[in-house]
Amino acid sequence: MNRNRHIGIMGGTFDPIHVGHLLAANTALDACALDEVWFIPTNVPPLKEGVQGAAAELRLRLVRLAIADEPRFKAVAIELARGGVSYSIDTVRELESRNPDCSFYYIIGSDRIHDLPQWHRIEELASMVRFIGVERPGEPIDLNRLPDWLRSRVELVSMPQVGISSTDIRSRRQAGRSIRYMVTEPVYSEIVKEGLYES
Ligand code: ATP
Ligand code: MG
């Protein structure tokens, strides 16, 4: 079958999902004429989860709340369902076999772009997906740091830079400071209701 639907993959911990993620996804959707963006929360080993972060089902619920008003955004829980450590290559292989009409574009922020050569089975992954890179403040992208074969698989799109991270949101909550407008209103309400990241 022809892979004629173009799907962006937005993978992350989403602990919690914030407006930087949404703007990155929407920028890629718009600039690269994608049909949809699928948000795929990463499974986090239980030991790490307890420390400061939220449980998987809560992270997933926040993703669903954040994207509910955009029909082209979907939440896909395959990494949570698989459990254990998730490698992007396994996720993409599973997505490709389940969706023979789709081609995939992996959206990544600049903090992860320079690490791409270290990703598990990156050569195989790069033969299956193209990467769409977006810049985060303080993390300029230098594609010359990537080998040629990988650089040719990365497309950069420019977005208004958003200096928001989930780490910063968690520490603000812990310090009793406000995170309002860093996340969408439904996500904000849920975080407050659940008392998330307070300790
Ligand atoms: P943490 O601080 O917990 O690592 P994070 O804000 O980096 O959280 P992740 O879930 O780790 O969020 O990121 C998922 C993906 O979204 C990554 O590719 C990351 O580079 C990208 N991303 C996160 N925040 C931004 C942002 N503000 N602008 C652009 N891309 C972002
Ligand atoms: Mg991160």
Side-chain angles (χ1 to χ4, degrees):
M1 194 188 288
N2 237 348
R3 294 191 179 271
N4 53 12
R5 288 205 314 142
H6 301 272
I7 309 295
I9 295 174
M10 189 80 202
T13 321
F14 302 123
D15 197 11
I17 186 168
H18 54 69
V19 295
H21 297 127
L22 296 168
L23 189 58
N26 197 56
T27 299
L29 187 84
D30 181 53
C32 303
L34 303 177
D35 294 294
E36 292 179 356
V37 175
W38 296 356
F39 290 75
I40 306 187
T42 304
N43 193 50
V44 177
L47 267 178
K48 218 176 137 195
E49 205 173 60
V51 179
Q52 208 200 12
E57 64 268 26
L58 202 42
R59 291 186 287 117
L60 177 62
R61 197 194 310 154
L62 296 178
V63 168
R64 293 203 163 115
L65 285 170
I67 65 177
D69 58 359
E70 172 49 77
R72 293 172 299 174
F73 288 173
K74 300 221 160 87
V76 176
I78 59 173
E79 294 194 355
L80 301 181
R82 197 176 331 122
V85 179
S86 285
Y87 293 111
S88 301
I89 180 71
D90 297 326
T91 300
V92 167
R93 287 174 72 107
E94 197 172 331
L95 291 176
E96 287 218 325
S97 70
R98 283 200 211 165
N99 303 277
D101 59 330
C102 295
S103 58
F104 292 95
Y105 298 75
Y106 205 104
I107 303 164
I108 42 172
S110 49
D111 56 311
R112 303 182 69 196
I113 286 181
H114 302 119
D115 294 336
L116 274 177
Q118 279 83 56
W119 285 27
H120 186 56
R121 283 155 61 196
I122 181 62
E123 295 194 28
E124 188 182 353
L125 180 63
S127 72
M128 301 173 86
V129 298
R130 294 181 148 275
F131 295 92
I132 299 174
V134 293
E135 204 152 82
R136 299 179 74 166
E139 305 262 2
I141 300 174
D142 178 7
L143 287 188
N144 290 321
R145 285 165 61 186
L146 297 181
D148 290 348
W149 59 269
L150 196 49
R151 193 185 315 132
S152 66
R153 304 294 290 168
V154 180
E155 180 176 353
L156 300 184
V157 297
S158 72
M159 71 175 232
Q161 290 189 19
V162 179
I164 296 175
S165 70
S166 302
T167 301
D168 183 47
I169 288 174
R170 294 192 301 272
S171 56
R172 278 170 194 264
R173 286 282 297 162
Q174 207 170 19
R177 294 168 62 200
S178 178
I179 59 154
R180 197 162 192 187
Y181 307 118
M182 301 173 99
V183 298
T184 66
E185 204 59 20
V187 170
Y188 176 74
S189 304
E190 187 69 11
I191 287 174
V192 170
K193 189 182 116 216
E194 294 286 341
L196 261 182
Y197 314 119
E198 280 177 343
S199 54

